[in-house]
Amino acid sequence: MTATVTRIEYTLPVNDPVAEDQVQLSRDDLWTGLVAKAADPRPCVPAITECTVVSEGPQGLVREIARAGDRFREVVVFDLGHRVSFRRADEREVWTIDNVIDEDATGALVLTFSGEFEREFGASRLAAMRTAMAETAARTLAVIRAGAAA
């Protein structure tokens, strides 16, 4: 029997070409911000109340997370300059969440958050997850922009 897999995705443009007062982020700015988010996601994901990096190296890290009363471990893998993948695989949940730096058809930077969950969700829960992903992507971009402006 094949497990059910639910996939959600949200992409947003990184820079607004008409927002002259907005700090324009580079690919390097985004990468630096996503690596920082891997080590301490709390500014970007308010539902995460604790994060402890257990081990780290050039290809990623292992972290322990407290979120909504649940404690779990994630393996975070860096695809240098392009993708940060967060993987949870334990007796309660299996998922992978990717934060990907890419370009759209015009060459403009975009940031895509996607999640693949090895289970089914009801329609209302899935809608809430999509909304939360969009909010987290936007908040992540705002935190990275603020850091780049400092």
Side-chain angles (χ1 to χ4, degrees), residues 13-30 109 140-150:
V14 172
N15 296 308
D16 182 348
V18 297
E20 294 178 14
D21 60 336
Q22 183 184 70
V23 173
Q24 299 295 296
L25 297 175
S26 68
R27 184 178 286 273
D28 287 343
D29 293 331
L30 282 175
L109 284 173
T140 298
L141 204 50
V143 168
I144 293 171
R145 193 174 314 283

PDB file of all heavy atoms in Angstrom, residues 13-30 109 140-150:
ATOM      1  N   PRO A  13       7.594  36.799  -5.152  1.00  0.00           N
ATOM      2  CA  PRO A  13       8.736  37.546  -5.687  1.00  0.00           C
ATOM      3  C   PRO A  13       9.552  38.111  -4.530  1.00  0.00           C
ATOM      4  O   PRO A  13       9.002  38.491  -3.495  1.00  0.00           O
ATOM      5  CB  PRO A  13       8.093  38.659  -6.515  1.00  0.00           C
ATOM      6  CG  PRO A  13       6.710  38.796  -5.977  1.00  0.00           C
ATOM      7  CD  PRO A  13       6.322  37.461  -5.413  1.00  0.00           C
ATOM      8  N   VAL A  14      10.861  38.173  -4.708  1.00  0.00           N
ATOM      9  CA  VAL A  14      11.741  38.649  -3.643  1.00  0.00           C
ATOM     10  C   VAL A  14      11.793  40.171  -3.611  1.00  0.00           C
ATOM     11  O   VAL A  14      11.684  40.781  -2.560  1.00  0.00           O
ATOM     12  CB  VAL A  14      13.155  38.049  -3.811  1.00  0.00           C
ATOM     13  CG1 VAL A  14      14.141  38.679  -2.849  1.00  0.00           C
ATOM     14  CG2 VAL A  14      13.099  36.543  -3.626  1.00  0.00           C
ATOM     15  N   ASN A  15      11.946  40.789  -4.761  1.00  0.00           N
ATOM     16  CA  ASN A  15      12.088  42.243  -4.841  1.00  0.00           C
ATOM     17  C   ASN A  15      10.953  42.842  -5.652  1.00  0.00           C
ATOM     18  O   ASN A  15      10.569  42.306  -6.680  1.00  0.00           O
ATOM     19  CB  ASN A  15      13.432  42.602  -5.495  1.00  0.00           C
ATOM     20  CG  ASN A  15      14.603  42.145  -4.654  1.00  0.00           C
ATOM     21  OD1 ASN A  15      14.680  42.436  -3.472  1.00  0.00           O
ATOM     22  ND2 ASN A  15      15.518  41.409  -5.266  1.00  0.00           N
ATOM     23  N   ASP A  16      10.455  43.966  -5.169  1.00  0.00           N
ATOM     24  CA  ASP A  16       9.426  44.715  -5.890  1.00  0.00           C
ATOM     25  C   ASP A  16      10.130  45.828  -6.656  1.00  0.00           C
ATOM     26  O   ASP A  16      10.660  46.764  -6.036  1.00  0.00           O
ATOM     27  CB  ASP A  16       8.420  45.291  -4.898  1.00  0.00           C
ATOM     28  CG  ASP A  16       7.291  46.052  -5.556  1.00  0.00           C
ATOM     29  OD1 ASP A  16       7.370  46.341  -6.775  1.00  0.00           O
ATOM     30  OD2 ASP A  16       6.326  46.368  -4.851  1.00  0.00           O
ATOM     31  N   PRO A  17      10.155  45.749  -7.998  1.00  0.00           N
ATOM     32  CA  PRO A  17      10.927  46.726  -8.765  1.00  0.00           C
ATOM     33  C   PRO A  17      10.410  48.164  -8.651  1.00  0.00           C
ATOM     34  O   PRO A  17      11.150  49.106  -8.913  1.00  0.00           O
ATOM     35  CB  PRO A  17      10.819  46.221 -10.206  1.00  0.00           C
ATOM     36  CG  PRO A  17       9.656  45.301 -10.221  1.00  0.00           C
ATOM     37  CD  PRO A  17       9.494  44.765  -8.834  1.00  0.00           C
ATOM     38  N   VAL A  18       9.171  48.354  -8.217  1.00  0.00           N
ATOM     39  CA  VAL A  18       8.638  49.720  -8.099  1.00  0.00           C
ATOM     40  C   VAL A  18       8.736  50.269  -6.670  1.00  0.00           C
ATOM     41  O   VAL A  18       8.461  51.437  -6.449  1.00  0.00           O
ATOM     42  CB  VAL A  18       7.179  49.820  -8.607  1.00  0.00           C
ATOM     43  CG1 VAL A  18       7.109  49.482 -10.086  1.00  0.00           C
ATOM     44  CG2 VAL A  18       6.257  48.926  -7.805  1.00  0.00           C
ATOM     45  N   ALA A  19       9.141  49.442  -5.731  1.00  0.00           N
ATOM     46  CA  ALA A  19       9.287  49.892  -4.341  1.00  0.00           C
ATOM     47  C   ALA A  19      10.706  50.429  -4.150  1.00  0.00           C
ATOM     48  O   ALA A  19      11.600  49.715  -3.720  1.00  0.00           O
ATOM     49  CB  ALA A  19       8.999  48.752  -3.377  1.00  0.00           C
ATOM     50  N   GLU A  20      10.889  51.694  -4.463  1.00  0.00           N
ATOM     51  CA  GLU A  20      12.222  52.300  -4.426  1.00  0.00           C
ATOM     52  C   GLU A  20      12.820  52.353  -3.027  1.00  0.00           C
ATOM     53  O   GLU A  20      14.037  52.339  -2.877  1.00  0.00           O
ATOM     54  CB  GLU A  20      12.159  53.703  -5.028  1.00  0.00           C
ATOM     55  CG  GLU A  20      11.842  53.701  -6.510  1.00  0.00           C
ATOM     56  CD  GLU A  20      11.729  55.102  -7.076  1.00  0.00           C
ATOM     57  OE1 GLU A  20      12.148  56.057  -6.402  1.00  0.00           O
ATOM     58  OE2 GLU A  20      11.225  55.226  -8.195  1.00  0.00           O
ATOM     59  N   ASP A  21      11.963  52.404  -2.007  1.00  0.00           N
ATOM     60  CA  ASP A  21      12.473  52.494  -0.639  1.00  0.00           C
ATOM     61  C   ASP A  21      12.759  51.116  -0.026  1.00  0.00           C
ATOM     62  O   ASP A  21      13.257  51.018   1.082  1.00  0.00           O
ATOM     63  CB  ASP A  21      11.492  53.261   0.249  1.00  0.00           C
ATOM     64  CG  ASP A  21      10.127  52.597   0.314  1.00  0.00           C
ATOM     65  OD1 ASP A  21       9.776  51.839  -0.619  1.00  0.00           O
ATOM     66  OD2 ASP A  21       9.409  52.838   1.300  1.00  0.00           O
ATOM     67  N   GLN A  22      12.461  50.065  -0.755  1.00  0.00           N
ATOM     68  CA  GLN A  22      12.664  48.704  -0.263  1.00  0.00           C
ATOM     69  C   GLN A  22      14.097  48.234  -0.539  1.00  0.00           C
ATOM     70  O   GLN A  22      14.617  48.430  -1.632  1.00  0.00           O
ATOM     71  CB  GLN A  22      11.679  47.759  -0.962  1.00  0.00           C
ATOM     72  CG  GLN A  22      11.731  46.336  -0.490  1.00  0.00           C
ATOM     73  CD  GLN A  22      10.808  45.453  -1.298  1.00  0.00           C
ATOM     74  OE1 GLN A  22      11.070  45.184  -2.464  1.00  0.00           O
ATOM     75  NE2 GLN A  22       9.722  45.018  -0.677  1.00  0.00           N
ATOM     76  N   VAL A  23      14.722  47.632   0.455  1.00  0.00           N
ATOM     77  CA  VAL A  23      16.048  47.038   0.259  1.00  0.00           C
ATOM     78  C   VAL A  23      15.915  45.912  -0.755  1.00  0.00           C
ATOM     79  O   VAL A  23      15.084  45.015  -0.600  1.00  0.00           O
ATOM     80  CB  VAL A  23      16.611  46.490   1.591  1.00  0.00           C
ATOM     81  CG1 VAL A  23      17.902  45.719   1.357  1.00  0.00           C
ATOM     82  CG2 VAL A  23      16.813  47.611   2.585  1.00  0.00           C
ATOM     83  N   GLN A  24      16.696  45.977  -1.824  1.00  0.00           N
ATOM     84  CA  GLN A  24      16.680  44.948  -2.852  1.00  0.00           C
ATOM     85  C   GLN A  24      17.629  43.826  -2.425  1.00  0.00           C
ATOM     86  O   GLN A  24      18.816  44.058  -2.209  1.00  0.00           O
ATOM     87  CB  GLN A  24      17.099  45.528  -4.205  1.00  0.00           C
ATOM     88  CG  GLN A  24      16.174  46.640  -4.700  1.00  0.00           C
ATOM     89  CD  GLN A  24      14.770  46.136  -4.996  1.00  0.00           C
ATOM     90  OE1 GLN A  24      14.585  45.326  -5.893  1.00  0.00           O
ATOM     91  NE2 GLN A  24      13.792  46.606  -4.238  1.00  0.00           N
ATOM     92  N   LEU A  25      17.094  42.628  -2.305  1.00  0.00           N
ATOM     93  CA  LEU A  25      17.884  41.495  -1.838  1.00  0.00           C
ATOM     94  C   LEU A  25      18.555  40.767  -2.998  1.00  0.00           C
ATOM     95  O   LEU A  25      17.968  40.605  -4.064  1.00  0.00           O
ATOM     96  CB  LEU A  25      16.991  40.509  -1.080  1.00  0.00           C
ATOM     97  CG  LEU A  25      16.349  41.026   0.195  1.00  0.00           C
ATOM     98  CD1 LEU A  25      15.397  39.989   0.773  1.00  0.00           C
ATOM     99  CD2 LEU A  25      17.408  41.404   1.218  1.00  0.00           C
ATOM    100  N   SER A  26      19.767  40.319  -2.752  1.00  0.00           N
ATOM    101  CA  SER A  26      20.495  39.507  -3.719  1.00  0.00           C
ATOM    102  C   SER A  26      20.299  38.027  -3.376  1.00  0.00           C
ATOM    103  O   SER A  26      19.803  37.682  -2.292  1.00  0.00           O
ATOM    104  CB  SER A  26      21.988  39.836  -3.670  1.00  0.00           C
ATOM    105  OG  SER A  26      22.530  39.406  -2.434  1.00  0.00           O
ATOM    106  N   ARG A  27      20.723  37.164  -4.245  1.00  0.00           N
ATOM    107  CA  ARG A  27      20.702  35.726  -3.989  1.00  0.00           C
ATOM    108  C   ARG A  27      21.521  35.415  -2.724  1.00  0.00           C
ATOM    109  O   ARG A  27      21.116  34.608  -1.894  1.00  0.00           O
ATOM    110  CB  ARG A  27      21.248  34.979  -5.200  1.00  0.00           C
ATOM    111  CG  ARG A  27      21.195  33.482  -5.078  1.00  0.00           C
ATOM    112  CD  ARG A  27      21.716  32.824  -6.336  1.00  0.00           C
ATOM    113  NE  ARG A  27      20.784  32.916  -7.444  1.00  0.00           N
ATOM    114  CZ  ARG A  27      19.805  32.042  -7.674  1.00  0.00           C
ATOM    115  NH1 ARG A  27      19.654  31.006  -6.880  1.00  0.00           N
ATOM    116  NH2 ARG A  27      19.007  32.189  -8.716  1.00  0.00           N
ATOM    117  N   ASP A  28      22.679  36.083  -2.582  1.00  0.00           N
ATOM    118  CA  ASP A  28      23.519  35.870  -1.393  1.00  0.00           C
ATOM    119  C   ASP A  28      22.814  36.314  -0.117  1.00  0.00           C
ATOM    120  O   ASP A  28      22.919  35.648   0.917  1.00  0.00           O
ATOM    121  CB  ASP A  28      24.859  36.598  -1.530  1.00  0.00           C
ATOM    122  CG  ASP A  28      25.793  35.930  -2.520  1.00  0.00           C
ATOM    123  OD1 ASP A  28      25.579  34.744  -2.868  1.00  0.00           O
ATOM    124  OD2 ASP A  28      26.745  36.595  -2.960  1.00  0.00           O
ATOM    125  N   ASP A  29      22.092  37.445  -0.177  1.00  0.00           N
ATOM    126  CA  ASP A  29      21.321  37.904   0.989  1.00  0.00           C
ATOM    127  C   ASP A  29      20.296  36.846   1.395  1.00  0.00           C
ATOM    128  O   ASP A  29      20.134  36.533   2.582  1.00  0.00           O
ATOM    129  CB  ASP A  29      20.565  39.207   0.691  1.00  0.00           C
ATOM    130  CG  ASP A  29      21.452  40.404   0.467  1.00  0.00           C
ATOM    131  OD1 ASP A  29      22.565  40.458   1.027  1.00  0.00           O
ATOM    132  OD2 ASP A  29      21.022  41.310  -0.296  1.00  0.00           O
ATOM    133  N   LEU A  30      19.582  36.313   0.395  1.00  0.00           N
ATOM    134  CA  LEU A  30      18.574  35.291   0.675  1.00  0.00           C
ATOM    135  C   LEU A  30      19.206  34.053   1.289  1.00  0.00           C
ATOM    136  O   LEU A  30      18.704  33.509   2.278  1.00  0.00           O
ATOM    137  CB  LEU A  30      17.840  34.891  -0.608  1.00  0.00           C
ATOM    138  CG  LEU A  30      16.766  35.832  -1.105  1.00  0.00           C
ATOM    139  CD1 LEU A  30      16.232  35.343  -2.442  1.00  0.00           C
ATOM    140  CD2 LEU A  30      15.643  35.936  -0.101  1.00  0.00           C
ATOM    141  N   LEU A 109      14.380  37.254  -8.932  1.00  0.00           N
ATOM    142  CA  LEU A 109      14.445  36.295  -7.826  1.00  0.00           C
ATOM    143  C   LEU A 109      13.066  36.005  -7.252  1.00  0.00           C
ATOM    144  O   LEU A 109      12.242  36.910  -7.080  1.00  0.00           O
ATOM    145  CB  LEU A 109      15.325  36.842  -6.704  1.00  0.00           C
ATOM    146  CG  LEU A 109      16.823  36.796  -6.900  1.00  0.00           C
ATOM    147  CD1 LEU A 109      17.527  37.529  -5.755  1.00  0.00           C
ATOM    148  CD2 LEU A 109      17.324  35.376  -7.002  1.00  0.00           C
ATOM    149  N   THR A 140       9.442  35.459   6.535  1.00  0.00           N
ATOM    150  CA  THR A 140      10.850  35.116   6.323  1.00  0.00           C
ATOM    151  C   THR A 140      11.526  36.156   5.450  1.00  0.00           C
ATOM    152  O   THR A 140      12.625  36.635   5.760  1.00  0.00           O
ATOM    153  CB  THR A 140      10.978  33.717   5.697  1.00  0.00           C
ATOM    154  OG1 THR A 140      10.429  32.752   6.605  1.00  0.00           O
ATOM    155  CG2 THR A 140      12.420  33.376   5.367  1.00  0.00           C
ATOM    156  N   LEU A 141      10.875  36.531   4.376  1.00  0.00           N
ATOM    157  CA  LEU A 141      11.429  37.547   3.480  1.00  0.00           C
ATOM    158  C   LEU A 141      11.586  38.878   4.214  1.00  0.00           C
ATOM    159  O   LEU A 141      12.609  39.561   4.062  1.00  0.00           O
ATOM    160  CB  LEU A 141      10.526  37.701   2.257  1.00  0.00           C
ATOM    161  CG  LEU A 141      11.142  38.242   1.004  1.00  0.00           C
ATOM    162  CD1 LEU A 141      12.422  37.540   0.616  1.00  0.00           C
ATOM    163  CD2 LEU A 141      10.128  38.158  -0.130  1.00  0.00           C
ATOM    164  N   ALA A 142      10.620  39.256   5.029  1.00  0.00           N
ATOM    165  CA  ALA A 142      10.702  40.503   5.797  1.00  0.00           C
ATOM    166  C   ALA A 142      11.859  40.473   6.795  1.00  0.00           C
ATOM    167  O   ALA A 142      12.589  41.463   6.950  1.00  0.00           O
ATOM    168  CB  ALA A 142       9.386  40.769   6.511  1.00  0.00           C
ATOM    169  N   VAL A 143      12.056  39.337   7.464  1.00  0.00           N
ATOM    170  CA  VAL A 143      13.153  39.209   8.432  1.00  0.00           C
ATOM    171  C   VAL A 143      14.497  39.291   7.705  1.00  0.00           C
ATOM    172  O   VAL A 143      15.412  39.975   8.159  1.00  0.00           O
ATOM    173  CB  VAL A 143      13.017  37.887   9.238  1.00  0.00           C
ATOM    174  CG1 VAL A 143      14.281  37.582  10.023  1.00  0.00           C
ATOM    175  CG2 VAL A 143      11.812  37.949  10.164  1.00  0.00           C
ATOM    176  N   ILE A 144      14.611  38.612   6.572  1.00  0.00           N
ATOM    177  CA  ILE A 144      15.861  38.668   5.801  1.00  0.00           C
ATOM    178  C   ILE A 144      16.127  40.083   5.303  1.00  0.00           C
ATOM    179  O   ILE A 144      17.250  40.585   5.378  1.00  0.00           O
ATOM    180  CB  ILE A 144      15.818  37.657   4.636  1.00  0.00           C
ATOM    181  CG1 ILE A 144      15.818  36.227   5.172  1.00  0.00           C
ATOM    182  CG2 ILE A 144      16.999  37.875   3.680  1.00  0.00           C
ATOM    183  CD1 ILE A 144      15.554  35.162   4.116  1.00  0.00           C
ATOM    184  N   ARG A 145      15.072  40.755   4.837  1.00  0.00           N
ATOM    185  CA  ARG A 145      15.228  42.134   4.345  1.00  0.00           C
ATOM    186  C   ARG A 145      15.685  43.070   5.465  1.00  0.00           C
ATOM    187  O   ARG A 145      16.559  43.904   5.285  1.00  0.00           O
ATOM    188  CB  ARG A 145      13.923  42.624   3.713  1.00  0.00           C
ATOM    189  CG  ARG A 145      14.084  43.899   2.900  1.00  0.00           C
ATOM    190  CD  ARG A 145      12.799  44.292   2.169  1.00  0.00           C
ATOM    191  NE  ARG A 145      12.132  43.227   1.467  1.00  0.00           N
ATOM    192  CZ  ARG A 145      12.516  42.724   0.288  1.00  0.00           C
ATOM    193  NH1 ARG A 145      13.599  43.176  -0.300  1.00  0.00           N
ATOM    194  NH2 ARG A 145      11.830  41.765  -0.280  1.00  0.00           N
ATOM    195  N   ALA A 146      15.094  42.898   6.636  1.00  0.00           N
ATOM    196  CA  ALA A 146      15.481  43.741   7.789  1.00  0.00           C
ATOM    197  C   ALA A 146      16.938  43.491   8.160  1.00  0.00           C
ATOM    198  O   ALA A 146      17.675  44.439   8.469  1.00  0.00           O
ATOM    199  CB  ALA A 146      14.562  43.468   8.977  1.00  0.00           C
ATOM    200  N   GLY A 147      17.366  42.249   8.121  1.00  0.00           N
ATOM    201  CA  GLY A 147      18.753  41.931   8.424  1.00  0.00           C
ATOM    202  C   GLY A 147      19.714  42.516   7.397  1.00  0.00           C
ATOM    203  O   GLY A 147      20.794  43.000   7.745  1.00  0.00           O
ATOM    204  N   ALA A 148      19.320  42.493   6.145  1.00  0.00           N
ATOM    205  CA  ALA A 148      20.170  43.039   5.082  1.00  0.00           C
ATOM    206  C   ALA A 148      20.255  44.564   5.171  1.00  0.00           C
ATOM    207  O   ALA A 148      21.262  45.147   4.802  1.00  0.00           O
ATOM    208  CB  ALA A 148      19.638  42.627   3.709  1.00  0.00           C
ATOM    209  N   ALA A 149      19.191  45.183   5.684  1.00  0.00           N
ATOM    210  CA  ALA A 149      19.168  46.650   5.797  1.00  0.00           C
ATOM    211  C   ALA A 149      19.986  47.131   6.988  1.00  0.00           C
ATOM    212  O   ALA A 149      20.421  48.283   7.005  1.00  0.00           O
ATOM    213  CB  ALA A 149      17.727  47.145   5.938  1.00  0.00           C
ATOM    214  N   ALA A 150      20.193  46.267   7.964  1.00  0.00           N
ATOM    215  CA  ALA A 150      20.898  46.670   9.204  1.00  0.00           C
ATOM    216  C   ALA A 150      22.376  46.879   8.990  1.00  0.00           C
ATOM    217  O   ALA A 150      22.992  46.441   8.092  1.00  0.00           O
ATOM    218  CB  ALA A 150      20.680  45.605  10.281  1.00  0.00           C
TER     219      ALA A 150
END
